[in-house]
């Protein structure tokens, strides 16, 4: 995402809002600038979203993006432990933010910050999986969840053992069981993922030997599946479920159930925290926290059924 060079100010310039943000090459200046950009009120967000939706007003879209750049910076910090440049993480997150703005429907009654968070994280996840290693270490949804949680969970444990070959801290049997239980995966999958994360990189395309003979590496046996028809269809289906499917599923709920689901699963505050707790919602509706939980469970089942029908 390219930005034009200019000094950051605290007011949105009507002619060119992008001029407020300095080049991403100067990361400290960029972060300082986006943190000074004013947030939009609900009324302003709705107005700009409607202008973009109905009139394809790109300036309105730019204002929506600008007001949420600080969210991208906040989310990107959560992924600094993978050894990738912070600026690149922000760039990918900005791509996800723009995709969210493009697909955002202001008539659904959900704030853009809640909707955009999922697109930002998805784009950063894809970037990490493609660049952290030459070959992806996570393929299924469960493996991806394990990949993005194992590192942080491992840091919370006190290492009980050191691997004799790699000299890296390894998880004990008890810690492996704890991770498997918390992430709802098999302990064998935890062991495999830890091994893959701790393994060394493999040179896919080795250089020719001294005698001029061509050396063969793993790259010779890898197929390019980037444009494989089945994968492309599955990708489009996932995108449809993430946008139209969720919107349709939410529309199938009554007002109370929908608000509970949005607060529990879709709401994200400026500080990165989630929405309301069961007890807070219980106090609002004058019922018990258990009743709110029952309504939430029923609503999620109804949404799941709606998503299946939509697919």
């Amino acid at each position: 995402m390219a930005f034009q060079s200019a000094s950051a100010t605290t007011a949105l310039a009507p002619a060119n809002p992008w001029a407020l943000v300095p080049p991403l090459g100067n990361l400290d200046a960029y972060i300082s600038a986006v943190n000074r950009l004013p947030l939009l009120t609900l009324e302003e967000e709705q107005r700009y979203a409607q202008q973009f939706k109905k009139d394809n007003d790109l300036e309105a879209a730019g204002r929506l993006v600008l007001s949420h750049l600080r969210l991208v910076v906040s989310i990107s910090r959560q992924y600094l432990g993978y050894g990738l440049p912070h600026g690149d993480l922000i760039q990918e997150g900005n791509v996800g933010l723009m995709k969210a703005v493009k697909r955002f429907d202001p008539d659904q009654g959900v704030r853009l910050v809640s909707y955009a968070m999922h697109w930002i994280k998805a784009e950063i996840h894809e970037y990490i999986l493609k660049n952290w290693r030459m070959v992806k270490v996570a393929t299924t949804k469960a493996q991806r969840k394990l990949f993005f949680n194992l590192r942080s969970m491992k840091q919370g444990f006190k290492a009980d053992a050191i691997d004799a070959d790699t000299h890296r801290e390894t998880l004990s049997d008890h810690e492996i069981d704890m991770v498997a239980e918390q992430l709802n995966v098999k302990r064998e999958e935890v062991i495999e993922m830890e091994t893959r994360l701790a393994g060394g990189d493999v040179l896919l395309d080795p250089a020719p030997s001294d005698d001029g003979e061509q050396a063969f590496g793993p790259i010779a046996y890898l197929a390019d599946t980037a444009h494989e028809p089945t994968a492309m269809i599955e990708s489009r289906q996932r995108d449809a479920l993430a946008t139209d499917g969720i919107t349709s599923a939410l529309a199938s709920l009554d007002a109370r159930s929908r608000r509970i689901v949005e607060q529990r699963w879709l709401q994200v505050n400026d500080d990165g925290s989630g929405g309301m707790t069961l007890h807070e919602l219980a106090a609002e509706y004058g019922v018990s926290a258990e009743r709110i939980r029952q309504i939430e469970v029923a609503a999620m089942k109804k949404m799941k059924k709606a998503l299946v029908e939509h697919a």
Side-chain angles (χ1 to χ4, degrees):
M1 180 178 182
F3 297 111
Q4 298 182 16
S5 177
S7 300
T9 64
T10 57
L12 291 173
N16 181 15
W18 296 111
L20 295 171
V21 186
L24 193 54
N26 189 344
L27 188 58
D28 291 338
Y30 172 83
I31 294 175
S32 176
V34 301
N35 285 333
R36 290 197 301 269
L37 291 173
L39 297 173
L40 297 178
T41 64
L42 175 59
E43 292 74 17
E44 290 173 332
E45 179 180 294
Q46 288 286 314
R47 183 171 72 253
Y48 290 137
Q50 291 289 356
Q51 289 175 359
F52 179 54
K53 178 182 177 182
K54 295 179 179 179
D55 305 325
N56 196 31
D57 187 336
L58 297 183
E59 182 179 334
R63 294 179 186 276
L64 291 172
V65 171
L66 276 173
S67 65
H68 290 81
L69 289 178
R70 68 179 69 190
L71 175 65
V72 176
V73 173
S74 176
I75 292 176
S76 66
R77 288 196 180 102
Q78 303 172 19
Y79 300 94
L80 291 177
Y82 294 99
L84 296 171
H86 193 190
D88 290 350
L89 294 172
I90 292 175
Q91 288 277 55
E92 297 300 319
N94 286 342
V95 172
L97 172 60
M98 289 188 289
K99 288 182 177 180
V101 169
K102 182 178 180 180
R103 294 166 172 81
F104 180 60
D105 185 355
D107 297 326
Q108 295 301 320
V110 180
R111 290 299 299 264
L112 177 57
V113 64
S114 302
Y115 185 75
M117 179 189 68
H118 303 284
W119 283 94
I120 294 169
K121 286 186 175 182
E123 208 69 29
I124 292 177
H125 284 187
E126 288 298 323
Y127 169 73
I128 291 175
L129 290 174
K130 290 178 181 178
N131 294 274
W132 191 70
R133 286 282 171 85
M134 288 298 292
V135 179
K136 294 183 181 180
V137 298
T139 53
T140 67
K141 182 178 180 181
Q143 288 176 328
R144 291 187 178 205
K145 180 180 179 182
L146 180 59
F147 174 82
F148 284 107
N149 285 275
L150 181 59
R151 181 185 295 269
S152 59
M153 294 182 68
K154 189 174 179 179
Q155 291 174 350
F157 296 137
K158 292 182 178 180
D160 292 339
I162 302 294
D163 187 272
D165 296 324
T166 64
H167 304 288
R168 296 172 65 95
E169 297 177 351
T170 59
L171 294 176
S172 66
D173 288 341
H174 175 64
E175 291 168 342
I176 290 173
D177 291 334
M178 288 178 60
V179 173
E181 181 179 358
Q182 291 185 34
L183 299 181
N184 194 28
V185 296
K186 298 177 181 178
R187 71 186 315 274
E188 292 79 10
E189 294 177 335
V190 178
I191 296 173
E192 179 187 2
M193 184 60 69
E194 185 187 18
T195 302
R196 296 168 79 180
L197 289 175
D201 292 328
V202 176
L203 189 61
L204 294 180
D205 192 12
S209 60
D210 294 336
D211 58 6
E213 293 293 328
Q214 177 64 43
F216 287 92
I219 195 171
Y221 309 100
L222 296 177
D224 179 12
T225 59
H227 298 89
E228 199 274 322
T230 302
M232 295 176 67
I233 293 174
E234 290 178 350
S235 177
R236 286 195 292 266
Q237 289 176 339
R238 285 195 300 269
D239 289 344
L241 282 177
T243 53
D244 301 337
I246 294 297
T247 299
S248 176
L250 284 172
S252 68
L253 303 177
D254 59 82
R256 182 175 63 173
S257 298
R258 177 173 173 175
R259 172 166 168 72
I260 290 174
V261 170
E262 290 174 347
Q263 285 295 326
R264 294 282 292 156
W265 294 96
L266 300 178
Q267 181 65 36
V268 179
N269 299 321
D270 294 336
D271 59 2
S273 62
M276 300 173 68
T277 65
L278 290 174
H279 292 284
E280 290 172 339
L281 288 165
E284 177 179 324
Y285 287 105
V287 296
S288 66
E290 174 61 21
R291 178 56 183 155
I292 295 296
R293 188 193 68 79
Q294 293 172 355
I295 296 173
E296 178 185 0
V297 171
M300 296 300 287
K301 288 182 179 179
K302 189 172 184 179
M303 288 183 64
K304 183 178 180 180
K305 180 179 179 181
L307 285 172
V308 172
E309 295 176 349
H310 182 83

